[in-house]
Amino acid sequence: MSDSSTIQRLEDLEAGRILGDLSEDEWQELEELSKKHHDALDGSLEWAAAQLEASLAGNRAAEKMPADLSGKVRAGTADFVTDSADEKVTPISAGWWKSAPAAWAVAAVLTVLLALSWLIEPETGSGFAGIDSAPDRIESPFAGVDEPYATVSGAVIWSDELQEGYMRLENMPVNDPAEKQYQLWIVDPSRDEAPVDGGVFDIAEDGTVRIPIDAKLRVDDPKAFLITLEKPGGVVKSSQDVKVALATPS
Amino acid sequence: MTASPIQFEEGQILAGVALGREAAMETCISVYGGLIWSIALRYADDRSQAEDVVQETFMDLWKSAGRYDAAVASEKTFVGLLARRRSIDYMRKQRRQPPSEPLMAAESLPEELPEGSGERRVEHAAVLEMLKELPEATRELFTLHFEQGLTHPEIVERTGLPLGTVKTRLRRGLIELRNRLRHLDGPHSNPLSAS
């Protein structure tokens, strides 16, 4: 069998594995072939099936789990629950920031910083237990910058040691992800003049939200956390046309 | 854990789960329980096995929710992928001929975008559009299998097609769809290669 036909056969078997229709002979054949050609299977067929499932599942009425099974699943959460607060948590995903040799952020952020004289007192957080109990934990208040974000408040909580943190935000206007998304920038002059992309996020509804920070580069001495409003997906370099909120750890 | 009203929306649930939020886990069970259950039923021989698969899948989900990246996939896609993987592994073990190691390790779950890949997340509407380009016979089988949740024997019963034909068409259809998704994402990109 040529390499080409071998790979085709391997893909055929992998598709069968994902679809759940392999015979025992085919299972053995798949295992043997996948050992010889381990680079040939990249998970893309499994991925395609998941995409298909998710897309078509929207067309059918949701099937419910049996109630007793739901109860068993709930019972299994005990070891994983770290708190039972009911604040919303918004996911954050990294934008496409890699590295830009620009000094735009420091200059612009410092300009904004000087203009601010009404920073709001921070509040005590709960949850995010690891960060909150970190010895080097810092907390700095967020203050709204441009209109209509002047009433935005909250705080940023960060640990250099853990390289983790989160934002607690209040009065953040709901955004339409198809139109605009919020993006966090972390200014750390000790590492680079350019800010670190802290991720793109959405505000889905009014109220207090907690947003985990997902800094893709190491941050050792953050001097400012700035939220901007950007196009969907975020930007590599912000023009800071809309500055939403700023926190400046001392 | 007591039941609580849904406070997390799709796209936010797994982030909450990763942080150990009780309300997020409750919402996860409510929103994705049906999807996981239906996938498990498709692979399992009976409901008892399907219940085991569901519990294993949720345990996996509580542990690996932090690996979810909204830029890579929708939550539904991520959860479905996890459920299918657990179902296959479980059934393989049940048949007492487990492979020496899983063919796809848990660590290979989608995590990050590779540099220069651009957007990888494919919207469901785009997938549905792509399906229209596939042969009618393939689309029909996809509908029966992925949308209606029929097993292969049930598809045979419904369509009158030989089992071999059903298997071949579904396999080829999945490979064809994968090829088209790759084309959509760029000819050389690989959705899971970043893991």
Side-chain angles (χ1 to χ4, degrees), chain A residues 1-236:
Chain A
M1 194 183 286
S2 68
D3 277 355
S4 173
S5 56
T6 300
I7 298 304
Q8 279 184 9
R9 177 59 178 161
L10 183 55
E11 289 215 317
D12 182 64
L13 292 169
E14 171 68 352
R17 183 185 75 86
I18 293 161
L19 292 161
D21 67 21
L22 287 183
S23 66
E24 285 307 325
D25 287 346
E26 286 178 321
W27 262 111
Q28 288 179 15
E29 187 181 359
L30 172 61
E31 286 164 18
E32 287 167 10
L33 285 178
S34 61
K35 283 176 187 169
K36 291 177 185 171
H37 303 276
H38 52 87
D39 290 337
L41 294 182
D42 58 7
S44 58
L45 285 170
E46 188 178 33
W47 178 262
Q51 293 275 12
L52 188 57
E53 179 92 48
S55 301
L56 288 176
N59 294 339
R60 69 169 176 239
E63 196 166 353
K64 288 192 174 180
M65 279 195 300
D68 61 333
L69 178 57
S70 296
K72 290 176 186 173
V73 172
R74 283 192 189 92
T77 64
D79 292 340
F80 299 93
V81 172
T82 58
D83 69 17
S84 59
D86 59 1
E87 293 164 341
K88 283 183 71 68
V89 175
T90 300
I92 194 165
S93 61
W96 303 307
W97 170 266
K98 298 300 176 210
S99 175
W104 65 269
V106 171
V109 167
L110 290 179
T111 301
V112 173
L113 201 165
L114 291 171
L116 291 172
S117 59
W118 39 279
L119 298 180
I120 299 171
E121 290 299 314
E123 293 193 0
T124 303
S126 61
F128 293 82
I131 302 166
D132 284 342
S133 61
D136 68 334
R137 168 189 184 277
I138 60 169
E139 179 167 342
S140 179
F142 263 120
V145 181
D146 295 337
E147 289 292 344
Y149 306 101
T151 60
V152 169
S153 61
V156 60
I157 292 86
W158 176 260
S159 164
D160 287 341
E161 187 176 328
L162 295 176
Q163 288 294 298
E164 292 177 6
Y166 65 89
M167 295 174 280
R168 186 180 66 249
L169 296 166
E170 297 169 20
N171 302 322
M172 283 280 282
V174 171
N175 66 298
D176 178 355
E179 297 286 330
K180 295 284 184 182
Q181 287 189 288
Y182 295 109
Q183 188 164 10
L184 174 68
W185 303 94
I186 309 170
V187 179
D188 178 4
S190 70
R191 69 171 312 282
D192 200 344
E193 290 183 330
V196 172
D197 179 5
V200 176
F201 63 97
D202 300 310
I203 299 296
E205 61 183 54
D206 296 332
T208 300
V209 295
R210 289 185 171 215
I211 301 160
I213 295 172
D214 186 17
K216 285 302 179 182
L217 296 175
R218 184 172 181 82
V219 176
D220 289 315
D221 188 18
K223 294 299 185 189
F225 292 81
L226 175 67
I227 299 170
T228 61
L229 191 66
E230 307 291 353
K231 67 182 182 182
V235 294
V236 172

Side-chain angles (χ1 to χ4, degrees), chain B residues 4 18 45 53 76 78 107 136 150 153 168 170 179 187 193:
Chain B
S4 57
D45 291 334
V53 169
K76 196 180 287 184
F78 183 88
E107 288 71 24
E136 172 66 29
L150 299 189
T168 301
L170 279 172
N179 293 343
S193 61

Side-chain angles (χ1 to χ4, degrees), chain A residues 8-9 11-24 26-28 30-31 34-35 40-60 62-66 68-96 98 126-129 131 202-205 210-212 214 216 232-233, chain B residues 1 3 7-9 11-12 15-16 19-23 25-26 29-30 33-35 37-39 41-43 47 50-51 54-55 58-59 62-63 69-74 76-77 80-81 84-85 88-89 92 95 97-100 103-104 110 112-113 115-116 118-124 127-128 131 142-143 145-149 152 167 170-172 174-175 177-178 181-182 190-193:
Chain A
Q8 279 184 9
R9 177 59 178 161
E11 289 215 317
D12 182 64
L13 292 169
E14 171 68 352
R17 183 185 75 86
I18 293 161
L19 292 161
D21 67 21
L22 287 183
S23 66
E24 285 307 325
E26 286 178 321
W27 262 111
Q28 288 179 15
L30 172 61
E31 286 164 18
S34 61
K35 283 176 187 169
L41 294 182
D42 58 7
S44 58
L45 285 170
E46 188 178 33
W47 178 262
Q51 293 275 12
L52 188 57
E53 179 92 48
S55 301
L56 288 176
N59 294 339
R60 69 169 176 239
E63 196 166 353
K64 288 192 174 180
M65 279 195 300
D68 61 333
L69 178 57
S70 296
K72 290 176 186 173
V73 172
R74 283 192 189 92
T77 64
D79 292 340
F80 299 93
V81 172
T82 58
D83 69 17
S84 59
D86 59 1
E87 293 164 341
K88 283 183 71 68
V89 175
T90 300
I92 194 165
S93 61
W96 303 307
K98 298 300 176 210
S126 61
F128 293 82
I131 302 166
D202 300 310
I203 299 296
E205 61 183 54
R210 289 185 171 215
I211 301 160
D214 186 17
K216 285 302 179 182
Chain B
M1 186 168 75
Q7 297 160 351
F8 291 77
E9 296 173 359
Q12 303 177 334
L19 293 167
R21 308 301 293 274
E22 183 181 27
M25 293 179 191
E26 178 65 34
I29 295 167
S30 300
L35 175 65
W37 175 239
S38 66
I39 290 174
L41 280 175
R42 201 180 313 151
Y43 287 87
R47 293 174 71 88
E51 290 194 5
V54 168
Q55 291 184 75
F58 272 108
M59 288 297 282
W62 306 151
K63 293 174 186 171
D69 184 342
V72 177
S74 70
K76 196 180 287 184
T77 300
L81 188 148
R84 179 173 294 98
R85 193 170 286 181
I88 294 168
D89 287 349
R92 187 69 182 136
R95 288 175 181 130
Q97 291 193 358
S100 54
L103 288 172
M104 199 63 67
E112 292 181 353
L113 295 170
E115 288 189 18
E119 291 175 299
R120 285 223 323 255
R121 174 172 171 156
V122 181
E123 297 302 329
H124 300 323
V127 176
L128 295 177
L131 276 179
F142 275 170
T143 300
H145 186 67
F146 288 101
E147 185 178 333
Q148 298 185 24
H152 286 59
K167 287 171 65 170
L170 279 172
R171 290 182 186 186
R172 287 180 182 169
L174 182 60
I175 292 169
L177 180 72
R178 186 278 314 271
L181 283 168
R182 274 182 169 167
N190 167 4
L192 297 177
S193 61

